[in-house]
Amino acid sequence: MGTSSAAFLVFVGCCSNVIFLELLVQVEPACGNLITFAQFVFIAIEGFVMTADFGRKKNVIPIKEYLILVVMFFLVNVTNNMAFGFKISMPLHIIFRSGGLIASLVMGILVLGRKYPISKHVSVLMITAGTVICTLASAEHVNDNDGGEKSSMVTWLMGIGILTFALFLSARMGIYQECLYSKHGKHPHEALFYIHTLSLPGFLVAGASIKEHAVRFSRSLPLPAFASVPGLGSMPRLWIFLAGNVLTQYLCVGSVFRLTSECTALTVTLVLTLRKFLSLVFSIVYFSNPFTLYHWLGTILVFTGTLIFTEVLSKARNALTSEKKTN
C-alpha cells in the first residue's frame, strides 16, 4: 500500500468512524472507556491471527521499545474518549485534535531540532485557525440548541486540560514512532498489534465503567431499519453503533500506522488534520447543523493552508515551465 492509498483509507475509515462515535456519545457521553476497550480488543484479536500468526511469528521491534509507545498510545486514546464525559462537544473535540499540526511542529523543533521554512509555519497556522473558526461556530449553535445552558466551568476546564494533554502526547508519540521505524525498519502491522495488545491490562482500572455502560448499551432500543434483518432485528442499537465504530476505527488506525511508516510525523499530522476538518463538515451536514459565513471562512483558510503546505501551486508552475521548455 502506497502513501496515497493509505491517506485515502485514513479519510474513509476515520470520517465514517466519527459518525458512529457521535451517534454513541449523543446517547451515552461517558461511554469512552467501553468504546476504547472494544476497539483495542478487536485489533488485538485480528492482529494475533493475521499479523502474529497465532503467536508463531517473532516480533522485529523489541517489546521493551514498544512499552514506551504503549503507554503513550493508551493514554492518548483513553483521554480523548474520556473527554466526552467532561461536557466537551463533538465540534470542540475535533478542534483540539486538529491542533496536532501546531503540536507536531513544536515537538519536531524541540525534540528533533528540525527547522521548517516560513511557508510551513504559515500553512500550519492557517489550517489550525480555519478549523478553530469552523468548530467554534458549530459549538456556538450547539449551545443555542441546548437552550442556553452553560456547562460547569470547572468540568469544562478539566475537559480542556485532558484534551491539551492528549494533543501534545500524541505529537510526541508520532515522533517516537518515526524514530522507531528509522531504527528498526517499517513494521506498521506489527506495531498496531503489539501496541493494542500490550495496552489491554490498562483497562482493568476502568472495569466498573466498562461494565456499567455495557449494561446500558444492552437496554437500548433496536433499530427499526434492521427489523427484518435476521440477527439484527432485536439487537440494541448502541451495540450496532459500537460495532460500526470498532470496524471503522480499525480501518482508520491501520491506515494511520501505514501512513506513519511512509511519511514524516508532520505530514501524517497534516493528513489527520484535513481528515478531522472534513469530519467536522460532514457532521454539520449529516446532523443538519447550520453552515454559516464563519464556516466558509474556515473552509477557505484550511484549503489555502493545505495548498501552501503541499506546495501544489509551485509544483504545478514548475511542471508547466518544464513542459514549455520541452516544447
Side-chain angles (χ1 to χ4, degrees):
M1 184 188 296
T3 302
S4 57
S5 299
F8 174 74
L9 290 178
V10 166
F11 281 98
V12 172
C14 298
C15 288
S16 55
N17 178 258
V18 169
I19 297 175
F20 288 109
L21 179 60
E22 189 158 1
L23 289 171
L24 287 168
V25 299
Q26 279 184 340
V27 181
E28 293 290 344
C31 67
N33 287 325
L34 176 57
I35 295 173
T36 311
F37 177 68
Q39 293 170 349
F40 276 48
V41 168
F42 178 84
I43 293 177
I45 293 174
E46 189 277 340
F48 182 72
V49 175
M50 303 300 296
T51 303
D53 191 20
F54 296 95
R56 291 191 291 263
K57 186 176 180 181
K58 183 176 175 58
N59 53 294
V60 178
I61 300 177
I63 295 295
K64 65 179 180 180
E65 296 198 37
Y66 272 130
L67 291 178
I68 298 175
L69 196 57
V70 164
V71 173
M72 290 191 287
F73 188 76
F74 177 79
L75 289 175
V76 167
N77 280 272
V78 170
T79 51
N80 271 324
N81 284 333
M82 183 193 302
F84 290 113
F86 289 81
K87 300 184 179 181
I88 297 295
S89 66
M90 180 64 73
L92 190 58
H93 194 274
I94 292 175
I95 178 50
F96 259 83
R97 299 186 69 178
S98 298
L101 272 174
I102 292 292
S104 185
L105 196 77
V106 171
M107 286 293 182
I109 294 172
L110 296 178
V111 178
L112 300 178
R114 287 177 174 167
K115 294 182 179 180
Y116 299 100
I118 295 298
S119 61
K120 299 292 185 185
H121 290 268
V122 172
S123 65
V124 165
L125 289 173
M126 289 179 68
I127 293 170
T128 304
T131 313
V132 167
I133 291 172
C134 213
T135 304
L136 291 180
S138 301
E140 180 181 344
H141 286 282
V142 169
N143 288 333
D144 290 342
N145 292 335
D146 288 340
E149 294 182 3
K150 300 298 182 180
S151 300
S152 166
M153 183 58 68
V154 174
T155 302
W156 188 78
L157 287 175
M158 288 175 64
I160 294 297
I162 289 172
L163 288 178
T164 303
F165 169 78
L167 177 71
F168 281 91
L169 186 60
S170 179
R172 182 63 182 89
M173 182 182 71
I175 291 176
Y176 183 80
Q177 275 184 285
E178 189 179 328
C179 295
L180 209 59
Y181 288 146
S182 299
K183 181 179 178 181
H184 298 284
K186 300 174 181 178
H187 306 282
H189 293 293
E190 176 188 296
L192 188 66
F193 165 64
Y194 280 101
I195 289 171
H196 283 80
T197 302
L198 294 174
S199 296
L200 290 177
F203 288 101
L204 290 174
V205 298
S209 173
I210 293 171
K211 182 179 178 180
E212 176 189 352
H213 284 91
V215 172
R216 292 186 181 183
F217 274 35
S218 298
R219 292 173 181 168
S220 62
L221 297 175
L223 283 172
F226 290 165
S228 59
V229 180
L232 294 179
S234 59
M235 182 175 291
R237 65 178 64 194
L238 291 183
W239 284 116
I240 295 176
F241 294 157
L242 181 62
N245 178 269
V246 167
L247 292 174
T248 53
Q249 176 71 4
Y250 169 70
L251 177 61
C252 173
V253 172
S255 302
V256 170
F257 270 73
R258 169 59 67 178
L259 195 65
T260 302
S261 69
E262 301 284 347
C263 311
T264 64
L266 187 60
T267 303
V268 172
T269 308
L270 171 70
V271 173
L272 295 181
T273 298
L274 290 177
R275 188 279 300 174
K276 290 162 191 169
F277 178 78
L278 290 179
S279 294
L280 173 64
V281 173
F282 188 83
S283 177
I284 290 169
V285 175
Y286 186 82
F287 290 96
S288 301
N289 290 316
F291 201 83
T292 65
L293 179 63
Y294 292 106
H295 291 100
W296 285 115
L297 176 60
T299 302
I300 293 171
L301 283 171
V302 167
F303 285 100
T304 303
T306 303
L307 290 175
I308 295 174
F309 184 92
T310 55
E311 301 176 345
V312 171
L313 297 179
S314 61
K315 289 178 181 178
R317 185 166 54 250
N318 292 337
L320 289 174
T321 304
S322 300
E323 185 177 345
K324 289 179 180 179
K325 289 181 179 180
T326 304
N327 295 335

